[in-house]
């Protein structure tokens, strides 16, 4: 009896244009990649998809205000009565020859970008001052960062000296047709529900920069479809998974619910 073929563990990703070609070419040429786009449009899923496709280990860091260079590179820790060096995710990625993905990199403290500079140019080096090491990144290593341009301001912008070290990709929300296909693939929902949810998202995204600070992501549509698939009323599912996640203002929420109710003929 022949053994069963191993399951494909590559995370699902519905391509939009030539982003996979750009990613793979950047990796082959040892170039770092910057991905910019709104929250929930598929940036993280895309990176996970490409790491699996290329057979590379992925080290993901969710950047935040308190993230320091030491958090990325590593630090000495005390254990069992002795001091032991512990690699950070960036160092582990370099040693393993994998992909280090810094999600929302502009949220990190400014001193972290200094660590990235020698890795993000032709040197491809990671100096570890506390151990005296100078790690040369192997050919398979890749640095990938992302951020949401909508959150940028004078305090949290990316410096030109950093930005110009990267090949860049711009992401946006998918078309309604593509988004419906994603929902069907991700949740198993029927075509009619997928079409309606994609239509709601398209309508709510028209309110960007007006009544909403952030608009409906594909991720929220997936949540709504999963709730409906579990037997929840579609209107209630949309309120819980989409509307209430977008705003705390009762009046704005009711205005958004009008779109939802009209979509489902309520």
């Amino acid at each position: 009896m022949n053994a069963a073929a191993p399951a494909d563990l590559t995370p699902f990703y519905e391509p939009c244009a030539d982003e996979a070609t750009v990613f793979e070419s950047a990796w082959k040429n040892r170039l770092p990649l910057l991905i910019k786009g709104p929250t929930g449009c598929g940036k993280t899923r895309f990176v996970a998809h490409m790491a699996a496709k290329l057979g590379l280990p992925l080290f993901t860091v969710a950047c935040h205000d308190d993230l320091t260079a030491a958090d990325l590179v590593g630090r000495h820790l005390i254990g069992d009565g002795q001091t032991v060096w512990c690699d950070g995710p960036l160092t582990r990625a370099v040693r393993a020859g994998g992909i280090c993905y810094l999600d929302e990199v502009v949220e990190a403290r400014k001193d972290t970008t200094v660590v990235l500079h020698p890795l993000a140019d032709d040197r491809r080096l990671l100096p570890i001052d506390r151990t005296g090491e100078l790690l040369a990144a192997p050919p398979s290593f890749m640095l990938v960062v992302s951020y949401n341009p909508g959150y940028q301001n004078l305090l949290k912008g990316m410096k030109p000296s950093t930005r110009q070290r990267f090949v860049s990709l711009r992401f946006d929300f998918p078309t309604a047709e593509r988004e419906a296909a994603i929902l069907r693939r991700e949740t198993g929902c029927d075509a009619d529900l997928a079409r309606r949810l994609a239509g709601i998202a398209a309508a709510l995204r028209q309110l960007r920069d007006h009544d909403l600070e952030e608009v409906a992501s594909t991720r929220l549509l997936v949540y709504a479809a999963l709730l409906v698939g579990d037997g929840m009323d579609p209107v209630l599912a949309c309120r819980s998974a989409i509307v209430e996640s977008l705003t705390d203002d009762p009046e704005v929420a009711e205005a958004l619910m009008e779109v939802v109710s009209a979509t489902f003929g309520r």
Side-chain angles (χ1 to χ4, degrees):
M1 179 181 293
N2 293 328
D8 183 6
L9 299 180
T10 303
F12 169 72
Y13 175 77
E14 179 74 19
C16 179
D18 299 322
E19 62 268 34
T21 300
V22 173
F23 190 107
E24 190 163 354
S25 184
W27 172 70
K28 287 179 179 178
N29 287 280
R30 307 179 190 181
L31 302 174
L33 182 68
L34 164 65
I35 305 174
K36 49 189 176 181
T39 298
C41 69
K43 302 187 295 295
T44 299
R45 173 64 67 88
F46 171 63
V47 176
H49 171 84
M50 293 305 300
K53 180 181 177 181
L54 297 172
L56 298 173
L58 176 62
F59 300 80
T60 298
V61 180
C63 298
H64 53 81
D65 289 341
D66 295 325
L67 186 75
T68 65
D71 292 325
L72 291 179
V73 176
R75 52 170 50 89
H76 285 100
L77 300 176
I78 299 176
D80 296 328
Q82 60 182 346
T83 302
V84 180
W85 172 260
C86 182
D87 284 340
L90 180 60
T91 303
R92 294 199 300 273
V94 172
R95 293 193 197 277
I99 295 174
C100 183
Y101 173 47
L102 305 181
D103 187 20
E104 297 296 347
V105 67
V106 295
E107 296 294 325
R109 284 171 41 170
K110 294 298 182 182
D111 66 331
T112 60
T113 58
V114 177
V115 176
L116 303 180
H117 282 185
L119 267 178
D121 58 28
D122 60 326
R123 291 173 290 175
R124 287 172 60 85
L125 296 172
L126 177 61
I128 306 179
D129 295 336
R130 296 185 182 185
T131 65
E133 291 181 89
L134 184 62
L135 296 183
S140 59
F141 170 77
M142 185 178 189
L143 177 64
V144 182
V145 303
S146 72
Y147 73 94
N148 181 351
Y151 287 155
Q152 273 197 290
N153 54 47
L154 294 176
L155 297 177
K156 289 190 175 181
M158 181 175 281
K159 291 182 179 179
S161 60
T162 301
R163 184 198 299 268
Q164 293 187 26
R165 282 173 159 81
F166 291 82
V167 173
S168 297
L169 280 172
R170 180 183 294 276
F171 273 42
D172 206 341
F173 294 114
T175 63
E177 181 179 356
R178 178 170 169 258
E179 194 157 43
I182 292 171
L183 290 174
R184 295 188 68 186
R185 173 62 174 76
E186 283 286 288
T187 69
C189 70
D190 62 51
D192 181 64
L193 177 61
R195 178 184 58 79
R196 290 174 190 262
L197 290 175
I200 289 171
L204 298 187
R205 287 168 190 159
Q206 298 299 316
L207 301 175
R208 181 186 295 184
D209 300 326
H210 294 286
D211 295 324
L212 297 176
E213 292 183 4
E214 196 60 76
V215 294
S217 66
T218 304
R219 181 187 300 121
L220 293 184
L221 302 186
V222 168
Y223 292 170
L226 290 173
L227 293 178
V228 174
D230 194 46
M232 186 178 292
D233 177 77
V235 173
L236 176 58
C238 287
R239 175 182 283 278
S240 300
I242 301 174
V243 172
E244 295 296 344
S245 296
L246 293 178
T247 181
D248 293 326
D249 187 317
E251 292 185 2
V252 174
E254 290 310 310
L256 302 185
M257 284 305 300
E258 291 180 7
V259 175
V260 173
S261 297
T263 300
F264 289 100
R266 303 289 177 84

